[in-house]
Amino acid sequence: MPVDAVDLELDCRGMRCPLPVIRLANSIGDVAVGATLAVVADDPAARPDIPAWCRMRGQEYVGEDQADDGTPRYLVRRLS
């Protein structure tokens, strides 16, 4: 997914579980339905936690790519 397709990017580098998911939950309402939010997180727990949060909350987990510095970036599309 190209960078310009991301409507909001959250920098969660250095945050440990559950903070990246909490930031995602608190920020999903800041983007329009259909928009994409990216969570940049270096905590290994974010890899399973973010898709699980999407399933529980009815949002779409788009996938994972990398930020410019190589940090994992998790992409979420707001569905509701």
Side-chain angles (χ1 to χ4, degrees):
M1 170 172 279
V3 172
D4 60 356
V6 172
D7 298 285
L8 177 63
E9 183 169 289
L10 304 175
D11 183 355
C12 296
R13 291 174 185 92
M15 294 182 185
R16 294 294 167 236
C17 179
L19 291 177
V21 171
I22 291 171
R23 289 266 331 265
L24 170 60
N26 288 340
S27 300
I28 193 79
D30 295 343
V31 299
V33 172
T36 302
L37 187 145
V39 180
V40 179
D42 51 10
D43 180 3
R47 184 166 278 125
D49 286 355
I50 290 174
W53 180 87
C54 290
R55 285 190 302 275
M56 290 187 299
R57 298 291 182 243
Q59 307 302 333
E60 180 183 355
Y61 179 65
V62 177
E64 177 183 338
D65 64 6
Q66 291 186 339
D68 291 340
D69 65 356
T71 302
R73 188 170 82 147
Y74 306 96
L75 305 165
V76 176
R77 182 170 295 117
R78 182 176 176 195
L79 297 181
S80 61

